[in-house]
Amino acid sequence: MLRIGSTPRLVLIALVLGLVANLLFYNKPLGISGFIFTLLLLIGLLSLGWLEKVKIMYRNLWLVIPLLFFSIMLFIRANTLLTFLNVLAVLTLFGFLLFFYAAGQIERLNFLDYLVVLTITGIGTLFRPVIIVSQATSFAMVQKKNLGLAVKLARGIFIAIPVLLVFTVLLASADTVFARYVDDFSRLKTFQNFPNLMAQLSLILLVTWLTSGAFLFSLSRTQGMEQGNAATALPGLVPINRRLGFVEGATVLMLVDLLFIAFAWI
């Protein structure tokens, strides 16, 4: 498997595409958004191939023509059945393009081979991002000393959340003025739109995951899998420190103190 020279670059491009997908598709009809996103996917794949100096199989790039054609048809006809068939055609052709972008000859396959190719591409797209996660985990373990304080602070904040919620409820029940402040805070627009924000975040993360997996799968097909077993090896389980250290405890106490100071001031 090909080792991508810059994993952060690949993830950044996938994240940008995830944000664009949220702008184009969330609570919006498919229409021209399908063509725009398909075009951006092609630009992202070609850009990564050029940046990583991947040898492109130009003889297979004819797939781009019908791919763009069916993506254009998404906004020419809004019929439900035709839209479904156009989306299916776009996904199928893009799957073939991912598989044959840097290796293989598409014209040598029979019908059953095409089904196998699409299955392999789908599985690779879904599970290849696990490699990126494993690389990030390994990097975090290597940089454990540098990230130690930040990890401890984050752990302390996470532990403090349920404690703060309990004390907030108790203090609100003890004082009506404080309860009014808490109620006003809970009615902020951000909290009212929380389900909507979570739905958009889920869409962004899903598109980022699938896009990064698709790009990584496509660019890694330039070498045999036998040369890249080390790249696919997953790290061991991350050891969990079950002890509550000084930093975590101090963080919890500080946040609780700030809550009581706010209560006393109010």
Side-chain angles (χ1 to χ4, degrees):
M1 173 154 142
L2 180 68
R3 292 178 180 273
I4 301 301
S6 178
T7 301
R9 180 166 52 204
L10 184 147
V11 174
L12 179 60
I13 292 177
L15 179 59
V16 170
L17 288 171
L19 294 171
V20 172
N22 180 64
L23 294 174
L24 292 175
F25 299 120
Y26 187 76
N27 283 341
K28 295 181 178 67
L30 193 57
I32 197 172
S33 300
F35 168 71
I36 295 174
F37 191 70
T38 301
L39 187 61
L40 291 176
L41 282 175
L42 291 174
I43 293 174
L45 180 61
L46 293 171
S47 300
L48 276 173
W50 177 73
L51 291 172
E52 301 299 335
K53 296 180 174 58
V54 173
K55 185 179 179 181
I56 301 174
M57 297 294 293
Y58 290 101
R59 63 184 300 166
N60 296 327
L61 291 186
W62 63 266
L63 289 167
V64 172
I65 298 175
L67 176 61
L68 291 177
F69 170 77
F70 286 110
S71 65
I72 291 174
M73 293 301 296
L74 289 173
F75 67 89
I76 291 181
R77 292 295 300 272
N79 179 274
T80 303
L81 178 59
L82 289 178
T83 299
F84 171 77
L85 294 176
N86 287 327
V87 170
L88 183 62
V90 168
L91 292 177
T92 301
L93 290 168
F94 193 69
F96 287 142
L97 180 62
L98 290 174
F99 193 89
F100 295 103
Y101 175 73
Q105 298 181 20
I106 188 172
E107 66 274 7
R108 292 188 175 183
L109 303 184
N110 57 41
F111 179 75
L112 291 179
D113 291 333
Y114 289 128
L115 295 179
V116 173
V117 164
L118 290 177
T119 302
I120 294 175
T121 304
I123 294 175
T125 299
L126 285 175
F127 295 104
R128 201 54 67 91
V130 174
I131 299 173
I132 299 176
V133 175
S134 67
Q135 290 177 350
T137 303
S138 301
F139 177 79
M141 295 301 296
V142 172
Q143 301 293 328
K144 187 176 180 180
K145 292 183 179 179
N146 298 331
L147 300 176
L149 181 59
V151 171
K152 291 178 181 179
L153 286 173
R155 189 186 303 153
I157 294 173
F158 181 77
I159 296 172
I161 290 176
V163 179
L164 292 174
L165 290 176
V166 171
F167 277 112
T168 300
V169 172
L170 292 175
L171 294 175
S173 64
D175 185 82
T176 56
V177 178
F178 183 78
R180 189 170 69 249
Y181 276 95
V182 173
D183 184 64
D184 292 340
F185 180 75
S186 64
R187 293 177 184 274
L188 291 176
K189 187 176 180 180
T190 301
F191 292 96
Q192 292 177 350
N193 293 333
F194 184 75
N196 185 49
L197 292 175
M198 289 303 299
Q200 294 187 57
L201 179 62
S202 300
L203 175 61
I204 293 171
L205 293 178
L206 177 62
V207 174
T208 301
W209 179 276
L210 295 177
T211 305
S212 60
F215 289 167
L216 186 58
F217 171 81
S218 182
L219 298 178
S220 65
R221 276 191 27 85
T222 56
Q223 294 181 359
M225 290 299 295
E226 68 276 1
Q227 298 180 6
N229 292 332
T232 60
L234 297 179
L237 294 177
V238 178
I240 300 176
N241 186 2
R242 298 181 182 275
R243 294 179 299 173
L244 185 64
F246 171 79
V247 176
E248 293 91 334
T251 302
V252 174
L253 291 176
M254 181 186 67
L255 292 175
V256 172
D257 287 342
L258 290 175
L259 176 64
F260 274 89
I261 290 172
F263 174 76
W265 176 78
I266 291 173

